[in-house]
Amino acid sequence: MNRHRALHQAAALLLSYPDSSWPRRAGQVAATLDQLQGMDADLLRGFCRLAAPIPPLDLAARYVTTFDRSRRRTLHLTHYTDGDTRRRGASLAALKARYRAHGWEPAAGELPDHLPTMLEFAARCPQAGTPLLHHYRGALDLLGQALDAYRSPYADVLRAVRRTVPAGPRPAPAPDTPVPVPFPILTTSDDEGVRR
């Protein structure tokens, strides 16, 4: 479980918008991944190596083109399950309620279905977050297929995440309380994306 928590936190940070803090954040993630074994950690390490030489502004432009300009590749998972319907509003409200029930609040201004937000929740509250990722496994598969078709390096990050969420019946949620993530990634209040 701790290994999956580390992988979920790493993927959350790698899938967050690459702002000016990206080189430091990616370096911390890469250093932590060096302590993990397995194919999923290898996939995340490969993404870190590929992204490392890209200037943050160029990487940010690629990120926007990849995720923000195509509904087929959005990181907002309820788009895959609910589309642009009223049902999506109910799904977003349910996600917010689930986070609050476990004493966790996503970053201000971010929708609760944003994949990095869900991954951080799974890292902090695995008993509730892992079943949530299972619930959205179909959306993860669709996003992964779209990233493969686009030939995006982010496809490897999705592959790593999907390896931690096997297909099949999802586990029942169990009560838990927020706990520190298994490795320290320091962020400041002005960082974009996933925050503590």
Side-chain angles (χ1 to χ4, degrees):
M1 181 70 79
N2 277 344
R3 185 172 182 285
H4 282 184
R5 291 178 63 213
L7 291 165
H8 290 159
Q9 183 67 53
L13 292 165
L14 295 176
L15 287 170
S16 295
Y17 181 78
D19 60 7
S20 59
S21 70
W22 170 257
R24 176 185 49 83
R25 187 173 62 202
Q28 290 173 318
V29 170
T32 300
L33 289 170
D34 285 341
Q35 302 169 31
L36 300 176
Q37 300 296 318
M39 180 62 156
D40 36 20
D42 290 343
L43 289 165
L44 295 178
R45 268 192 294 273
F47 176 82
C48 288
R49 279 191 302 272
L50 187 71
I54 301 171
L57 282 177
D58 292 345
L59 192 61
R62 292 181 193 186
Y63 182 95
V64 168
T65 301
T66 301
F67 296 117
D68 296 343
R69 296 208 174 136
S70 171
R71 287 181 183 230
R72 292 181 185 270
R73 296 186 304 271
T74 182
L75 290 172
H76 294 281
L77 298 188
T78 60
H79 270 291
Y80 301 99
T81 57
D82 300 319
D84 283 331
T85 64
R86 288 184 193 185
R87 191 175 62 226
R88 182 168 185 245
S91 295
L92 293 172
L95 284 169
K96 268 190 180 177
R98 180 179 291 205
Y99 295 155
R100 285 188 183 133
H102 292 277
W104 191 75
E105 190 74 29
E110 192 56 73
L111 291 174
D113 66 337
H114 193 235
L115 180 54
T117 299
M118 293 176 134
L119 287 166
E120 185 170 358
F121 180 64
R124 292 173 182 275
C125 301
Q127 297 299 325
T130 301
L132 183 63
L133 291 175
H134 276 272
H135 178 78
Y136 285 96
R137 172 60 199 236
L140 293 172
D141 290 342
L142 289 172
L143 174 56
Q145 291 166 14
L147 291 172
D148 279 334
Y150 191 63
R151 295 191 173 113
S152 170
Y154 285 102
D156 281 344
V157 179
L158 256 290
R159 277 190 200 91
V161 169
R162 289 164 56 207
R163 289 178 63 84
T164 69
V165 184
R170 62 181 188 252
D176 62 0
T177 56
V179 292
V181 291
F183 58 88
I185 299 266
L186 302 176
T187 60
T188 61
S189 60
D190 62 341
D191 281 350
E192 289 290 326
V194 183
R195 296 186 187 89
R196 299 196 177 235

